[in-house]
């Protein structure tokens, strides 16, 4: 657990002491998410109790802290006005601040050096040592951006800010060649343009042309200044699916067909390489949950997603679309950001009727 886990856990305890009945009244709004998290915690404890093997409960403490973190964030959101605006401002400002510091003052010399020898590199992680972690964070920020502007859209300039953030994020993801994240971001850009044009009627055709023109201009600049790196990116995209790592077998999907007996009760949240002598770990959220926690855990996960999408289906579905490809090709349950994505998709515009202790 990180420092913020302990702080938000303490915050939850304080809320619980002050007004326990009000807490449970608020948390019932995200009951399916909390039930799913509670299930995997209890499942891990039962596995440990019957086997005595700590590996079956290695993530229980972490998931427990995340349970209280999620509950605490939601309580703060529902009890304080403008919380969502503040957290969005902080996250987006932090992202741009990091871009300025790391890109222009420290990373640019490294980037220019590597670009000179780009033919020796298949990938270049621009702002992070892990392209997948960085990519997931960028997707998370853009999901929050989408939800925020859907809640508080007032002026056409708001749309310019949203799509500018999309294009900046796309450039950063291209630099790290985070394929799943790139495809996810392109998905939400496409759905956002379609919904803003046809459903919300916020933009005109000329606006779409301007956005696409900026996108092509940015790609052209990227190609002019960093041609070797663009060539590497094109090579990876053109050969996508040919490597074993990019196939269903390479992501661990075949384990549910070769070991189907574990799909009923689950095999436990353990390393399949260690306990099942499998060649690779499972790299898919849905297959991981199905194999580790069985059909019950998988159904509870679907209910958690259903809870996130049901109230504002169009907007929430667009926000969720950014993660579909990532969830199909990666297992992010170990990341706190994953649990926060499920929580923030539940956020609704309660700013005018928030409860107060």
């Amino acid at each position: 657990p990180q420092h913020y886990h302990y702080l938000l856990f303490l915050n939850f305890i304080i809320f619980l002491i002050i007004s326990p009945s009000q807490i449970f009244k608020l948390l019932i709004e995200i009951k399916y998410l909390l039930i799913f998290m509670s299930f995997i915690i209890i499942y891990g404890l039962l596995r440990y109790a019957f086997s005595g093997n700590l590996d079956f409960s290695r993530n229980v403490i972490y998931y427990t802290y995340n349970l209280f973190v999620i509950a605490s964030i939601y309580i703060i959101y529902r009890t304080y006005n403008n919380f969502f605006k503040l957290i969005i401002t902080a996250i987006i400002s932090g992202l741009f601040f990091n871009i300025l510091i790391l890109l222009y003052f420290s990373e640019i010399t490294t980037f220019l050096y590597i670009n000179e020898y780009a033919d020796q590199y298949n990938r270049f992680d621009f702002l992070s040592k892990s392209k997948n972690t960085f990519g997931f964070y960028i997707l998370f920020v853009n999901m929050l951006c989408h939800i925020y502007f859907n809640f508080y859209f007032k002026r056409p300039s708001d749309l310019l800010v949203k799509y500018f953030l999309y294009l900046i994020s796309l450039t950063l993801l291209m630099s790290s060649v985070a394929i799943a994240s790139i495809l996810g971001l392109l998905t939400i850009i496409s759905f956002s343009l379609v919904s803003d044009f046809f459903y919300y009627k916020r933009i005109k055709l000329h606006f779409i042309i301007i956005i696409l023109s900026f996108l092509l201009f940015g790609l052209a600049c990227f190609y002019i200044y960093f041609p070797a790196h663009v060539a590497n990116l094109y090579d990876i995209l053109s050969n996508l699916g040919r490597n074993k790592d990019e196939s269903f077998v390479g992501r661990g999907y075949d384990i549910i067909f070769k070991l189907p007996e574990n799909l009923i009760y689950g095999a436990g949240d353990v390393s399949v390489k260690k306990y099942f002598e499998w060649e690779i770990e499972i790299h898919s959220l849905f297959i991981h949950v199905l194999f580790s926690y069985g059909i019950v855990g998988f159904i509870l996960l679907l209910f958690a997603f259903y809870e996130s999408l049901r109230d504002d289906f169009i907007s929430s579905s667009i926000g969720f679309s950014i993660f579909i490809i990532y969830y199909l090709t990666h297992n992010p349950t170990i990341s706190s950001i994953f649990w926060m994505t499920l929580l923030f998709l539940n956020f609704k515009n309660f700013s005018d009727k928030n409860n107060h202790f």
Side-chain angles (χ1 to χ4, degrees):
Q2 304 298 313
H3 296 302
Y4 69 89
H5 288 106
Y6 300 113
L7 292 174
L8 287 170
F9 174 75
L10 178 61
N11 181 80
F12 179 82
I13 297 300
I14 293 174
F15 276 133
L16 186 62
I17 295 174
I18 295 176
S19 182
S21 60
Q22 186 74 357
I23 281 184
F24 291 112
K25 179 181 177 181
L26 294 179
L27 293 183
I28 200 69
E29 297 171 356
I30 54 171
K31 56 182 178 297
Y32 290 127
L33 174 57
L34 299 180
I35 288 173
F36 173 61
M37 298 183 72
S38 301
F39 172 80
I40 63 176
I41 292 170
I42 295 172
Y43 183 94
L45 292 175
L46 291 176
R47 275 283 187 174
Y48 168 68
F50 283 102
S51 67
N53 190 337
L54 282 173
D55 285 349
F56 284 101
S57 61
R58 62 187 176 90
N59 290 326
V60 164
I61 295 178
Y62 181 77
Y63 289 148
T64 302
Y65 273 104
N66 270 310
L67 175 65
F68 289 110
V69 165
I70 294 304
S72 184
I73 291 176
Y74 194 75
I75 292 169
I76 296 172
Y77 164 67
R78 289 289 280 111
T79 55
Y80 292 98
N81 289 325
N82 298 322
F83 168 75
F84 194 35
K85 287 184 178 180
L86 291 174
I87 198 170
I88 288 293
T89 302
I91 289 176
I92 294 180
S93 299
L95 176 64
F96 277 103
F97 183 75
N98 277 277
I99 290 172
L100 291 175
I101 295 297
L102 297 176
L103 178 58
Y104 292 104
F105 296 106
S106 64
E107 291 285 350
I108 191 65
T109 54
T110 303
F111 183 53
L112 291 173
Y113 173 81
I114 289 185
N115 182 71
E116 184 178 354
Y117 301 97
D119 57 331
Q120 303 175 21
Y121 297 85
N122 286 325
R123 301 182 187 275
F124 175 44
D125 300 325
F126 204 33
L127 300 176
S128 172
K129 293 181 179 179
S130 170
K131 63 179 177 58
N132 293 328
T133 301
F134 176 66
F136 195 35
Y137 171 72
I138 292 296
L139 295 184
F140 176 63
V141 171
N142 281 271
M143 181 205 73
L144 293 180
C145 174
H146 162 75
I147 296 174
Y148 173 80
F149 283 107
N150 185 64
F151 281 175
Y152 303 109
F153 173 79
K154 295 180 180 178
R155 302 175 300 274
S157 59
D158 294 338
L159 285 177
L160 290 175
V161 174
K162 180 176 77 169
Y163 285 101
F164 178 72
L165 178 62
Y166 284 160
L167 297 181
I168 289 293
S169 300
L170 183 61
T171 303
L172 293 174
L173 292 177
M174 288 175 59
S175 70
S176 62
V177 197
I179 301 300
S181 300
I182 291 175
L183 296 177
L185 189 58
L186 289 174
T187 300
I188 197 172
I189 291 175
S190 302
F191 285 158
S192 292
L193 285 172
V194 171
S195 64
D196 285 335
F197 182 74
F198 289 105
Y199 184 74
Y200 295 112
K201 300 186 183 304
R202 294 169 176 167
I203 59 177
K204 304 296 183 180
L205 182 60
H206 67 272
F207 184 88
I208 297 180
I209 296 175
I210 292 174
I211 293 295
L212 294 178
S213 300
F214 271 111
L215 177 60
L216 293 175
F217 176 76
L219 292 175
C221 291
F222 204 77
Y223 177 77
I224 292 172
Y225 289 100
F226 310 108
H229 184 65
V230 173
N232 281 338
L233 177 62
Y234 174 78
D235 181 65
I236 293 173
L237 291 174
S238 61
N239 290 284
L240 194 63
R242 298 181 183 180
N243 297 325
K244 183 178 179 180
D245 182 59
E246 296 164 349
S247 65
F248 282 106
V249 174
R251 310 313 288 181
Y253 278 77
D254 58 331
I255 197 171
I256 63 174
F257 300 106
K258 295 184 178 180
L259 297 172
E261 63 274 11
N262 294 287
L263 303 184
I264 303 300
Y265 301 107
D269 193 349
V270 293
S271 170
V272 294
K273 293 176 66 175
K274 177 180 179 180
Y275 284 91
F276 297 94
E277 299 181 351
W278 211 249
E279 184 179 351
I280 60 169
E281 298 293 349
I282 299 174
H283 291 281
S284 168
L285 165 66
F286 302 105
I287 301 302
H288 170 77
V289 171
L290 178 60
F291 186 79
S292 299
Y293 300 104
I295 190 65
V296 175
F298 184 74
I299 292 174
L300 291 177
L301 173 65
L302 295 182
F303 269 108
F305 282 124
Y306 163 74
E307 184 177 55
S308 301
L309 302 177
R310 62 180 178 181
D311 289 327
D312 190 354
F313 183 77
I314 298 296
S315 176
S316 298
S317 296
I318 294 172
F320 175 69
S321 70
I322 198 171
F323 298 111
I324 293 177
I325 297 175
Y326 192 94
Y327 288 164
L328 290 173
T329 56
H330 296 84
N331 172 28
T333 54
I334 197 64
S335 171
S336 293
I337 295 179
F338 165 68
W339 302 105
M340 292 183 186
T341 60
L342 293 178
L343 176 67
F344 278 83
L345 281 172
N346 270 288
F347 278 19
K348 307 166 187 66
N349 195 354
F350 290 122
S351 58
D352 296 328
K353 53 181 180 180
N354 276 357
N355 299 286
H356 294 269
F357 286 103

